[in-house]
Amino acid sequence: MDGQENEQHANRGEDAPATGPAPRPALRRGGADRTGRRALRATGWTLAVLVVALVGVVIGVLAGGRVSTDIGPFQADLTVAPALGGGTTVDIPPLGALLLDSHDGPTHLTVELGALDQSRTEALLDDPASINRASQSAVDDVREGVLRLGLRTLASTVLVTLLLALLLFRDTRRAAWAGGLALVITATSLGTAATTIRPESIEEPRYEGLLVNAPAIVGDARRIANDYTRYAEQLQRIVGNVSQLYTTVSSLPVYEPAPGTTRVLHVSDMHLNPTGWQLIRTVVEQFGIDVVIDTGDITDWGSEPEASYVGSIGLLRKPYVYIRGNHDSGRTAAAVARQPNAIVLSNTTTTVAGLTIAGIGDPRFTPDKNTSPAGSGLTQQTADQLIGVGDQLAATVRSSPRLVNIALVHDPASAGPLSGACPLVLAGHTHSRQVSKLPEVPGKGPTQLMVQGSTGGAGLRGLEGEKPTPLSMTVLYFDKDKLLQAYDDITVGGTGQAQVNLERHVVEDPKAGAPVPVTPTPTR
């Protein structure tokens, strides 16, 4: 019966009535849910593959990112590790380490010079020409070692990632994706390092280690490499010096000073700390200092009993140019002047080691138990005094029959009037190291201001805080024309004079001064 009715409806061109149940919307929603779950599952697997790849890269780099190679007479270990900042560390036991800003992240290279081959070392010492050959081949040794390190790191990260992915996923396709991602991540990281290499970074290394070893590792300012050829020369000296250290166990050789180079040690704010003298003597001897410049506050109270503290000046056996700080009295200045090698400047000039230096003492005398700069106060009257002595010294500099190379003031607030009068102004007082350029005077040359920290760690009271105030000083290198060409910032922090941080800064254009921002003269 139903079939006849349907046939009749069909003959009349009508739709046949539905005989089965209508589709339920719930079934359509179920299909959409399955599609969403599949998309979510795919996203989860993708993230899981990415996480496994990243973990595999880290483990692979840490496990396999190391090779051993010969560099000159050394057996060296080259290691690569994940790092955001990039850079290279050259460990030279027992001398210390050089930190170079050699490339950008995310990889850090460590070169550790290990044991010496005795036969090759003896050959270097017996035949000076072999040192030249060793230094030339050492650059190729490093390049070859880095290349092998990169290939080994790639292989290690891919292999570790594949094994890790197979273990977790048990799926060859996903393991292959993870391995491919690991290859891309590692290759991109190493490629970033390779394309951002800065060979000139060896010009401005940061040294960490024993202070007495710093000159032998960092080298003379005039002999630092700025290309691969000069790098080979520098490496030659390192190889030669370290070879002699290991084989003779004698005092470290210090580089011969370049012709015409004058080395000046800038110290300030000793504040009666006897440790400061030990540090100064070490630097004077190891760096071959020609002149020591002290920008004041050698004492705390300027009293007569404190005058005996300055007796260590004579032991340095080098010219010692001094100006009075606000904690130093007239008696202090007179005690310094009695030292056989001391020169006290009071709005006067002197010429020593070819450098013409002008200096003036602080106009204040504010002895106080608090040796911090804030202890001396800075009222409007005091500010006028400080600017006034700057004006006096500027007039002295401009009237000098000889071109003044360096001007000395205690408080950097006095430096402003000296802009354009001379190329370099040294100061102290703030207990904080700072390098800046004074605002230029139209028609005059640039003037650089270098403020020293406290060479005495702000005195013995510097130990009272949670962290001891670091002892700081700077070695300034002047070329034959008496222009600043480089400087080493030396910092010893809380551990005595053994451990030191030394940062080398090279002045690319000595006539223009160091490339630092123009900042207002400090006024505190």
Side-chain angles (χ1 to χ4, degrees):
M1 184 70 180
D2 290 339
Q4 292 177 355
E5 291 179 357
N6 290 339
E7 185 177 355
Q8 292 174 0
H9 283 293
N11 291 336
R12 291 196 298 268
E14 298 176 358
D15 293 334
T19 58
R24 287 179 292 182
L27 294 178
R28 289 195 295 270
R29 287 197 299 272
D33 290 344
R34 284 195 297 273
T35 301
R37 284 196 295 271
R38 283 196 297 268
L40 185 61
R41 189 181 301 113
T43 302
W45 281 116
T46 300
L47 292 175
V49 168
L50 179 59
V51 169
V52 169
L54 291 173
V55 172
V57 166
V58 173
I59 296 176
V61 169
L62 296 177
R66 174 185 293 270
V67 297
S68 295
T69 188
D70 292 332
I71 300 179
F74 295 97
Q75 179 69 33
D77 290 328
L78 276 62
T79 307
V80 65
L84 295 178
T88 298
T89 298
V90 182
D91 285 323
I92 312 176
L95 305 182
L98 288 180
L99 284 71
L100 309 176
D101 184 21
S102 58
H103 62 273
D104 295 332
T107 55
H108 183 86
L109 175 65
T110 299
V111 180
E112 183 174 356
L113 300 181
L116 283 168
D117 182 273
Q118 184 174 354
S119 60
R120 282 183 291 165
T121 302
E122 291 175 352
L124 287 175
L125 297 178
D126 294 339
D127 180 13
S130 64
I131 294 183
N132 293 327
R133 292 192 297 270
S135 66
Q136 293 166 5
S137 64
V139 178
D140 295 331
D141 293 340
V142 172
R143 187 180 293 112
E144 179 185 350
V146 170
L147 180 59
R148 287 199 293 116
L149 176 63
L151 295 175
R152 180 184 174 91
T153 303
L154 279 172
S156 176
T157 55
V158 172
L159 179 60
V160 169
T161 303
L162 287 173
L163 293 176
L164 186 62
L166 286 172
L167 182 64
L168 293 176
F169 300 139
R170 301 183 185 279
D171 184 289
T172 55
R173 184 179 178 186
R174 293 191 180 112
W177 273 107
L181 277 173
L183 178 63
V184 171
I185 293 171
T186 307
T188 301
S189 300
L190 297 177
T192 300
T195 55
T196 57
I197 287 178
R198 293 180 286 272
E200 69 278 5
S201 64
I202 197 171
E203 290 188 0
E204 298 186 327
R206 181 162 61 90
Y207 169 80
E208 292 181 350
L210 298 178
L211 176 58
V212 295
N213 298 337
I217 300 301
V218 178
D220 187 86
R222 294 294 296 267
R223 297 174 181 237
I224 304 171
N226 59 10
D227 53 36
Y228 282 116
T229 301
R230 292 175 63 191
Y231 173 74
E233 296 175 0
Q234 179 71 3
L235 188 56
Q236 166 190 335
R237 296 185 182 89
I238 292 178
V239 169
N241 283 322
V242 177
S243 299
Q244 292 184 47
L245 172 70
Y246 273 88
T247 55
T248 65
V249 198
S250 61
S251 60
L252 281 171
V254 179
Y255 294 130
E256 292 293 329
T261 297
T262 303
R263 302 181 181 190
V264 174
L265 177 62
H266 179 203
V267 303
S268 191
D269 296 83
M270 296 276 285
H271 289 294
L272 293 176
N273 190 344
T275 305
W277 288 123
Q278 301 171 21
L279 183 60
I280 290 174
R281 283 197 295 270
T282 300
V283 173
V284 167
E285 294 170 2
Q286 295 296 324
F287 284 75
I289 298 299
D290 299 300
V291 183
V292 179
I293 290 178
D294 185 341
T295 47
D297 275 0
I298 197 170
T299 61
D300 278 351
W301 293 84
S303 62
E304 187 67 32
E306 292 175 299
S308 60
Y309 175 75
V310 307
S312 295
I313 292 175
L315 302 177
L316 299 177
R317 303 183 185 279
K318 297 291 181 180
Y320 193 96
V321 181
Y322 161 88
I323 60 169
R324 193 182 63 79
N326 60 289
H327 283 265
D328 302 328
S329 66
R331 290 181 175 181
T332 303
V336 173
R338 287 195 294 270
Q339 302 305 309
N341 56 326
I343 302 169
V344 177
L345 297 180
S346 181
N347 198 25
T348 53
T349 64
T350 185
T351 299
V352 58
L355 290 166
T356 299
I357 306 169
I360 192 169
D362 196 288
R364 302 160 294 180
F365 176 49
T366 55
D368 195 296
K369 289 183 178 180
N370 181 2
T371 60
S372 69
S376 57
L378 187 59
T379 63
Q380 183 60 49
Q381 181 182 3
T382 302
D384 292 340
Q385 283 184 301
L386 293 171
I387 295 173
V389 297
D391 286 328
Q392 295 177 45
L393 186 59
T396 299
V397 169
R398 292 188 176 96
S399 63
S400 172
R402 299 176 64 109
L403 180 66
V404 172
N405 307 114
I406 308 172
L408 311 180
V409 294
H410 176 65
D411 193 319
S414 299
L418 290 159
S419 180
C422 63
L424 178 63
V425 179
L426 301 183
H429 184 64
T430 66
H431 302 169
S432 177
R433 183 182 282 142
Q434 180 185 3
V435 177
S436 62
K437 283 186 178 179
L438 296 176
E440 292 194 24
V441 176
K444 302 292 184 179
T447 298
Q448 186 163 306
L449 171 63
M450 303 185 75
V451 182
Q452 188 56 268
S454 174
T455 307
L460 296 179
R461 281 182 290 276
L463 300 173
E464 294 177 354
E466 293 183 4
K467 294 183 178 179
T469 303
L471 280 63
S472 61
M473 58 182 60
T474 301
V475 178
L476 309 169
Y477 300 87
F478 294 85
D479 62 18
K480 57 183 177 58
D481 296 322
K482 307 310 175 188
L483 294 174
L484 182 66
Q485 58 168 332
Y487 57 97
D488 292 336
D489 284 332
I490 299 173
T491 304
V492 179
T495 57
Q497 71 176 59
Q499 293 296 318
V500 65
N501 181 293
L502 183 151
E503 293 189 47
R504 164 64 53 84
H505 306 273
V506 175
V507 180
E508 297 296 338
D509 183 2
K511 292 184 178 179
V516 295
V518 176
T519 58
T521 304
T523 57
R524 60 175 193 153

